Amino acid sequence: MHAVLAGGVGAARYLIGATEAFPPADTTAIVNVGDDIVMHGLNISPDLDTCTYTLAGAIDPTRGWGLVDETWQAMETLAGYGGESWFGLGDRDLGTHLHRTDRLASGATLTEVTAEIAARWGVGCRLLPVTDDRVSTMVTLIDGSEITFQEYFVRLGHDVEISSVRFDGVDSARPTAEVMHAITTADSLVVAPSNPIVSIGPVLAVPGVRDAVAARRDRNVAISPIIGGRALKGPADRMLAELGQESSVIGVARIYRELASALIIDEADRDLAPAVESAGMRAVVAPTIMSEPGVAASLARLAVAVATGTR
Ligand code: GDP
Ligand code: CA
C-alpha cells in the first residue's frame, strides 16, 4: 500500500498520477482537515472535496476548486439577503455539504462520510481525514489579529502578511485508527507537493502522526511544492518567507528532513541538489509540474521506487 500525506490541489494532482500508475485501491491519502470550516451551519471540508472532485474528473479546471458546470443561484439568493457570500458555494457543491452536515449530525464520523462521498464520485483510492476531531488552522496577521485559514485564504485572497500559524484544537485531536494503520503499514509514504505549513503542517500536528511518520523515515519521500523558489499557485512561497524559512527546495528540505529520507525536486532546481543533500535529504531531480501530461504518473512511479529503495 502507498500512503500519501495530502492537502488540496497539489496532492490531488499527485493522487491522479498514483491512481494511473498503480491499481487505485493501493493508494491511501491522509488528508488535511485544518481548512475545514462551518459556513451557514454547513460542514465544509475543502481539501477532502478537492481530492474527491479531482479524482472524479469533476473539478472545475479554470477555478481549480469546486465542481465543473456549476451554477450559483443559492449564493445569489444568499447575497440578496445580505448574508456572508465571500466563500463561494456552488449549487452542485452545496449538495455535498448538505449531505456531509446531515450525516455528521446523525453521528457518522468524518471518515465514514468521506468514504460515502468518495464512493458516490467513483474515487478508486482511499481518502482518510487525518482525524475525526475538529482542527482549525488559525493565521495571525502582521497587525496581530487572528483569523481562520479560510478568511485569510479566500476572503483576503492571502494578500496580507502573516506572522504565525497555529492549529486550534489539535492538542486534543486523535488520528483515526485507519490513519495510524496506513502510516505504520504502508510500503511507501509520500509527502505530496502541498503547502508545507498549512496543508501538511496540520496533518503532522495531530498527536502521534509526526512521530509515526518519522519512525519510518527511510521509506518516506517528499515532493517539493516549491519550484524555482516559487509556489506554482497559492501563498506557500510567501508564507515560508514570512515565517522566517527559506522559500526554496533547501527550505523545504529543512522542514522535511526528519520525516523523509529523500526530496524530489524539479529539474529547474537541479543546481540546488547538493545543497538539499547538505541539508540532510537525498535529492532526486525529476519533472514535477503535473499539469504536463504524464508527469503525475511518472512522479508517482519515481516516488514509490525511491521510497522502496529500487531507485
Ligand atoms: P491547496 O490546499 O488547494 O492550497 O493545495 P495544496 O496545499 O495541496 O497545494 C498547494 C501547493 O501545491 C503549492 O505550493 C503549489 O506550488 C504546489 N503544487 C501544485 N501543483 C503542483 C505541481 O504540479 N507540482 C508541484 N511540484 N507542486 C505543485
Ligand atoms: Ca487547502
Side-chain angles (χ1 to χ4, degrees):
M1 188 262 296
H2 176 42
V4 181
L5 304 190
V9 173
R13 286 174 155 185
Y14 176 80
L15 290 171
I16 290 265
T19 54
E20 282 170 9
F22 310 111
D26 286 0
T27 294
T28 296
I30 298 164
V31 184
N32 173 40
V33 297
D35 293 18
D36 291 18
I37 186 171
V38 177
M39 287 292 284
H40 321 296
L42 299 176
N43 294 89
I44 300 166
S45 294
D47 283 352
L48 284 166
D49 288 347
T50 293
C51 290
T52 301
Y53 294 166
T54 302
L55 286 159
I59 199 97
D60 184 276
T62 43
R63 280 196 312 277
W65 55 270
L67 287 164
V68 73
D69 298 330
E70 192 56 280
T71 54
W72 305 91
Q73 297 201 39
M75 287 312 271
E76 282 160 29
T77 304
L78 176 66
Y81 293 125
E84 271 197 282
S85 56
W86 54 267
F87 194 85
L89 296 167
D91 298 332
R92 299 185 67 204
D93 186 33
L94 273 167
T96 300
H97 311 313
L98 289 170
H99 178 68
R100 176 186 294 117
T101 304
D102 186 46
R103 294 284 294 126
L104 292 173
S106 327
T109 64
L110 184 59
T111 300
E112 289 164 347
V113 185
T114 300
E116 291 166 11
I117 294 171
R120 154 70 183 84
W121 286 99
V123 170
C125 70
R126 201 159 180 221
L127 297 179
L128 297 175
V130 61
T131 177
D132 285 327
D133 301 321
R134 180 68 63 77
V135 174
S136 303
T137 299
M138 304 294 296
V139 178
T140 301
L141 306 183
I142 202 81
D143 68 5
S145 59
E146 186 178 65
I147 56 177
T148 65
F149 175 75
Q150 295 302 346
E151 287 176 288
Y152 163 75
F153 194 76
V154 178
R155 190 166 65 78
L156 301 180
H158 52 77
D159 189 19
V160 50
E161 200 174 326
I162 68 164
S163 61
S164 66
V165 167
R166 72 178 180 96
F167 310 119
D168 190 63
V170 80
D171 293 344
S172 51
R174 286 159 307 146
T176 65
E178 291 88 339
V179 162
M180 291 309 282
H181 181 76
I183 294 172
T184 49
T185 62
D187 305 302
S188 56
L189 182 147
V190 165
V191 182
S194 290
N195 187 315
I197 295 163
V198 292
S199 291
I200 303 300
V203 172
L204 295 170
V206 175
V209 172
R210 177 184 293 277
D211 288 348
V213 171
R216 46 162 303 150
R217 178 182 184 272
D218 290 352
R219 290 170 297 144
N220 302 344
V221 174
I223 301 169
S224 178
I226 300 292
I227 300 177
R230 305 295 301 268
L232 287 183
K233 209 181 160 200
D237 46 7
R238 276 181 293 118
M239 288 186 119
L240 285 168
E242 289 163 12
L243 298 179
Q245 323 242 25
E246 197 173 311
S247 173
S248 73
V249 292
I250 306 161
V252 175
R254 288 186 187 131
I255 292 174
Y256 289 144
R257 61 186 165 197
E258 271 132 43
L259 300 166
S261 53
L263 181 65
I264 300 180
I265 62 174
D266 195 80
E267 286 173 318
D269 291 310
R270 182 181 293 279
D271 293 353
L272 295 176
V276 166
E277 304 223 326
S278 304
M281 294 181 90
R282 177 182 166 203
V284 178
V285 180
T288 73
I289 299 184
M290 294 180 282
S291 46
E292 302 293 324
V295 168
S298 305
L299 194 54
R301 274 187 218 100
L302 174 65
V304 167
V306 171
T308 54
T310 58
R311 258 203 69 174

